[in-house]
């Protein structure tokens, strides 16, 4: 069998190696347009910032290693220009020599990936404007940065790669501004979960311009000016574009393969395209959202690796299926971590999927053990079955562990009742006897059992003041004085039983504390004392995340 693979990196290289492991006899040719067949593009920002010092460490595998260890025919600097599905051939141009030739195939795997977006705005091709997608990009940026002339930088786009680059530029002492079209950083996350990261950026001196967009670029004797749609001009010596990617689908479209409305190459769960002899993997394909079961495009390295293996399996008669992508992703930003898996609240709302959510704000390990760091977990779930639909976490240490556990829970179709029962590793330096995942399960399962009626903080605040429940702050007087919800009355939970006569009996009472635990206890006291009561999800900590611009001290 003769297999041709177009594109390397995660999907193509994984497919090639898997194919060889399944067959020593197959002829396997891998074409890569660039000079590097497989590299760690997630590590590129850290090479610019000096965290990774050896460029060779970014090379996951070289063509020579693939040829020696896997007996693969790897041809870099070769561009596949066309696919003839009838003749089952591809036309190739050797970019080094200019020679054109054809190769036949029995099976073809497309792994062309995606290219950074460069919108057609004035000055976009000016010197000093970069994208960051491959080793050649990183070499160009590093040469400029190491040259010592960059005092100011503008990063357009506040996604994962953009923010990783921001962190590394700041560590090099470069004054950095971020321009983001959305009203938040990290658009895949729910907005409130990004509040701690935005505060961290501000504390590090980063200027964050949200709801803004670049309208053009002008060259000046000092470098560049980024002209925003608002009219503001931002001087810089380096501009990095991180505004998304577009699918490299030209070959597929010209070959008549089916593509989705956003350009993703359509495949079935075996990774077959509309031509049964052509497979496609990686950033170029349209996948099924694991939670919503709808078509989507999610460019991530982990799924691309798995897709490459599955495509090779199916070529050699193994019935492997791709279950879909749930979008598990993580970002480290200075001393913070943000991670997510499954559906976000905004996606569930947009798809009109019924859901409930809870917030918990635990520490990463036993509080009595030194170094405990607080995190926030948001878990979304089906209100009827309790099935976990999505989760997001932000904080310091331990966020990655909890999101990974919740990612597995989603894969396994588990419910919040299962989260209550999860048995996770515990020692004081690693976790708690009631792990944050268990805590999220307790709160969510209690809500579904009606142990504690709950109102979401955003729903509470957005209710007109004359229609809101009676707001009861059950924290200490000192905490209340430092900041509270507008219109709240303060009675500490420790004094509540003795002061029940001060509360209205003709209105629902919404109790809240700092993170929800004391609010839950207050709600149980009130319900068993004849009051109509509800707990406010996530407490005052969630309020500060949802409404970071509100005054710290409300009257």
């Amino acid at each position: 069998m003769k297999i041709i693979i177009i594109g390397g990196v995660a999907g193509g290289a994984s497919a090639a190696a898997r194919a060889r492991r399944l067959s020593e006899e197959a002829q396997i040719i891998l074409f890569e347009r660039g000079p590097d067949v497989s590299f760690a593009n997630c590590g590129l920002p850290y090479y610019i910032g000096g965290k990774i010092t050896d460029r060779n460490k970014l090379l996951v595998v070289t063509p020579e290693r693939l040829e020696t260890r896997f007996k693969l025919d790897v041809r870099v600097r070769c561009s596949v220009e066309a696919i003839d599905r009838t003749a089952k051939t591809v036309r190739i141009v050797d970019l080094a020599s200019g020679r054109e030739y054809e190769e036949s195939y029995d099976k073809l795997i497309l792994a062309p990936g995606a290219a950074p977006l460069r919108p057609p705005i004035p000055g976009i091709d000016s010197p000093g404007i970069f994208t960051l997608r491959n080793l050649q990009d990183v070499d160009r940026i590093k040469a400029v940065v190491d040259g010592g002339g960059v005092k100011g930088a503008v990063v357009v786009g506040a996604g994962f790669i953009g923010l990783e680059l921001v962190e590394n530029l700041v560590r090099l002492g470069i004054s950095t501004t971020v321009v983001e079209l959305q009203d938040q950083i990290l658009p895949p996350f729910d907005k409130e979960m990004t509040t701690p990261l935005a505060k961290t950026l501000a504390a590090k001196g980063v200027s964050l311009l949200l709801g803004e967009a670049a309208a053009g670029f002008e060259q000046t004797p000092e470098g560049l000016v980024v002209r925003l749609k608002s009219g503001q001009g931002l001087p810089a010596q380096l501009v990095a574009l991180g505004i998304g990617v577009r699918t490299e689908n030209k070959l597929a479209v010209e070959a008549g393969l089916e593509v989705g409305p956003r350009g993703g190459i359509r495949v079935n769960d075996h990774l077959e395209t509309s031509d049964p002899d052509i497979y496609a993997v990686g950033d170029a394909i349209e996948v099924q959202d694991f939670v919503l079961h709808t078509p989507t495009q999610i460019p991530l390295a982990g799924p691309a690796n798995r897709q490459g293996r599955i495509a090779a399996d199916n070529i050699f008669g193994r019935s492997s299926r791709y279950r879909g992508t749930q979008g598990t992703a993580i970002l480290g930003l200075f001393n913070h971590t943000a991670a997510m898996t499954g559906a976000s609240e905004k996606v569930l709302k947009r798809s009109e999927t019924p859901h409930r959510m809870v917030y918990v704000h635990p520490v990463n390990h036993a509080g009595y053990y030194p170094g405990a760091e607080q995190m926030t977990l948001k878990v979304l779930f089906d209100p009827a079955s309790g099935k976990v639909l999505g989760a997001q976490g932000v904080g310091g240490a331990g966020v990655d562990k909890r999101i990974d556990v919740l990612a597995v829970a989603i894969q396994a179709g588990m419910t919040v009742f299962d989260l209550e029962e999860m048995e996770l590793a515990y020692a004081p330096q690693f976790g708690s006897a009631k792990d944050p995942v268990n805590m999220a399960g307790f709160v969510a399962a209690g809500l579904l059992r009606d142990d504690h009626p709950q109102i979401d903080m955003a729903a509470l605040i957005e209710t007109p003041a004359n229609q809101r429940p009676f707001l009861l702050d059950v924290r200490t007087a000192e905490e209340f004085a430092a900041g509270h919800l507008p219109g709240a009355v303060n009675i500490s939970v420790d004094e509540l039983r003795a002061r029940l006569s001060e509360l209205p009996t003709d209105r629902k009472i919404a109790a809240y504390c700092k993170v929800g635990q004391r609010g839950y206890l207050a709600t149980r006291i009130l319900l068993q004392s004849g009051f109509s009561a509800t707990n406010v999800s996530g407490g005052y900590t969630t309020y500060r995340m949802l409404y970071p611009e509100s005054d710290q001290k409300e009257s």
Side-chain angles (χ1 to χ4, degrees):
M1 181 181 288
K2 184 176 180 181
I3 302 169
I4 285 180
I5 301 170
I6 302 174
V9 197
S14 294
R18 178 65 170 172
R20 175 56 73 220
R21 290 194 294 272
L22 294 176
S23 172
E24 274 294 301
E25 290 73 36
Q27 182 184 359
I28 304 168
I29 307 174
L30 191 157
F31 292 102
E32 169 57 48
R33 187 187 302 154
D36 306 298
V37 69
S38 187
F39 57 91
N41 47 10
C42 294
L44 301 181
Y46 302 98
Y47 177 62
I48 292 170
K51 187 75 173 178
I52 297 172
T53 57
D54 184 353
R55 185 184 185 277
N56 289 330
K57 296 288 187 183
L58 297 172
L59 295 169
V60 176
V61 66
T62 63
E64 295 76 19
R65 172 56 67 89
L66 287 174
E67 290 165 357
T68 301
R69 179 160 292 179
F70 293 99
K71 200 178 70 172
L72 300 174
D73 183 350
V74 179
R75 305 181 193 180
V76 296
R77 300 289 295 149
C78 285
S79 176
V80 177
E81 296 295 310
I83 302 168
D84 185 333
R85 291 167 53 198
T86 303
K88 296 185 73 171
T89 61
V90 295
R91 179 166 54 86
I92 304 106
V93 173
D94 185 322
L95 298 177
S97 67
R99 181 174 73 95
E100 280 195 39
Y101 63 99
E102 289 188 347
E103 287 283 356
S104 63
Y105 66 84
D106 295 310
K107 298 291 183 180
L108 178 68
I109 300 177
L110 286 169
L117 283 171
R118 292 183 74 95
I121 57 179
I124 189 72
D125 295 320
S126 301
I129 300 176
F130 303 94
T131 56
L132 184 56
R133 188 69 177 174
N134 56 39
L135 287 172
Q136 291 67 56
D137 291 336
V138 84
D139 289 340
R140 286 188 283 267
I141 295 174
K142 190 162 177 60
V144 171
V145 168
D146 290 352
V150 179
K151 294 188 174 17
V154 174
V155 176
V156 183
F160 288 86
I161 294 294
L163 292 183
E164 288 167 350
L165 182 57
V166 167
E167 177 181 5
N168 284 281
L169 292 173
V170 169
R171 283 181 168 159
L172 292 172
I174 296 172
S175 176
T176 304
T177 299
V178 178
V179 177
E180 169 56 52
L181 180 62
Q182 303 297 320
D183 64 351
Q184 65 171 89
I185 62 173
L186 290 176
F189 282 75
D190 291 324
K191 183 178 179 181
E192 77 278 8
M193 298 300 290
T194 68
T195 297
L197 301 177
K199 289 181 177 179
T200 295
L201 288 170
K204 295 293 183 178
V206 176
S207 178
L208 191 57
L209 303 179
L210 300 175
E212 270 284 15
F217 305 93
E218 302 167 6
Q219 287 189 275
T220 70
E222 291 76 32
L224 290 162
V225 170
V226 181
R227 192 66 61 188
L228 304 182
K229 286 194 173 176
S230 64
Q232 183 181 356
L234 304 174
Q237 290 74 50
L238 184 150
V239 175
L241 303 177
I243 52 180
V245 296
R246 60 171 176 79
T247 300
E248 292 272 23
N249 65 2
K250 183 172 180 287
L251 278 175
V253 171
E254 291 180 350
L257 299 176
E258 289 183 13
V259 299
R262 292 176 54 198
I265 303 168
R266 282 198 162 143
V267 295
N268 61 20
D269 57 0
H270 293 296
L271 284 312
E272 291 175 343
T273 67
S274 51
D275 184 325
D277 291 321
I278 300 178
Y279 294 75
V281 302
D283 294 355
I285 70 171
E286 182 182 86
V287 297
Q288 184 182 74
D289 184 296
F290 184 82
V291 174
L292 300 179
H293 310 293
T294 55
T296 187
Q297 287 176 239
I298 304 175
L300 289 170
N305 272 290
R306 295 195 299 278
Q307 291 158 12
R309 289 172 53 88
I310 290 169
D313 279 353
N314 283 292
I315 283 174
F316 287 101
R318 296 192 175 202
S319 184
S320 296
R321 295 180 180 274
Y322 185 64
R323 294 187 287 184
T325 302
Q326 66 190 67
T328 305
I330 191 165
L331 169 79
L333 187 65
F334 297 105
N335 59 334
H336 274 77
T337 302
M340 67 180 299
T341 187
S344 64
E345 181 187 1
K346 66 176 76 170
V347 165
L348 293 170
K349 283 183 175 178
R350 192 159 57 237
S351 63
E352 299 183 344
T353 301
H355 62 279
R356 292 297 304 268
M357 61 187 175
V358 295
Y359 298 91
V360 292
H361 306 279
V363 290
N364 66 304
H365 60 58
Y368 61 81
Y369 190 87
E373 300 179 43
Q374 189 175 50
M375 70 178 73
T376 293
L377 287 180
K378 178 180 184 178
V379 177
L380 299 122
F381 52 95
D382 181 89
S385 66
K387 185 177 180 180
V388 182
L389 303 175
Q392 296 171 44
V394 63
V399 170
D400 57 337
K401 170 181 173 179
R402 275 67 190 205
I403 291 297
D404 280 345
V405 169
L406 291 163
V408 174
I410 292 172
Q411 279 279 316
M414 298 174 77
T415 69
V416 295
F417 305 106
D418 294 315
L419 301 186
E420 289 184 295
E421 301 300 326
M422 277 191 169
E423 184 176 333
L424 302 172
Y426 164 58
Q429 66 269 50
F430 298 110
S432 302
K434 296 177 183 177
D435 190 85
V437 173
N438 298 134
M439 294 303 299
F442 295 150
V443 176
L447 187 158
L448 294 184
R449 293 189 186 105
D450 264 344
D451 287 345
H452 58 100
Q454 176 177 289
I455 184 170
D456 295 329
M457 181 64 76
L460 174 69
I461 298 302
E462 289 163 15
T463 300
N466 62 351
Q467 297 176 29
R468 285 181 194 166
F470 180 88
L471 292 181
L472 178 63
D473 188 317
V474 298
R475 299 174 298 159
T476 65
E478 293 76 16
E479 289 174 288
F480 183 82
H484 55 269
L485 269 60
V489 171
N490 178 224
I491 300 177
S492 165
V493 69
D494 294 333
E495 302 173 355
L496 183 58
R497 292 181 180 87
R499 298 177 61 181
L500 292 173
S501 61
E502 300 176 31
L503 299 176
T505 57
D506 58 347
R507 290 176 65 188
K508 177 168 278 192
I509 298 172
Y512 75 91
C513 60
K514 182 179 180 182
V515 298
Q517 188 173 23
R518 286 173 287 175
Y520 163 62
L521 177 56
T523 301
R524 295 300 301 157
I525 293 170
L526 292 168
L527 288 172
Q528 295 177 78
S529 301
F531 291 88
S532 174
T534 185
N535 188 19
V536 182
S537 175
Y540 190 71
T541 300
T542 299
Y543 174 71
R544 296 301 308 161
M545 293 174 70
L546 283 162
Y547 307 100
E549 303 304 320
S550 61
D551 293 335
Q552 284 288 341
K553 296 184 180 181
E554 291 93 352
S555 59

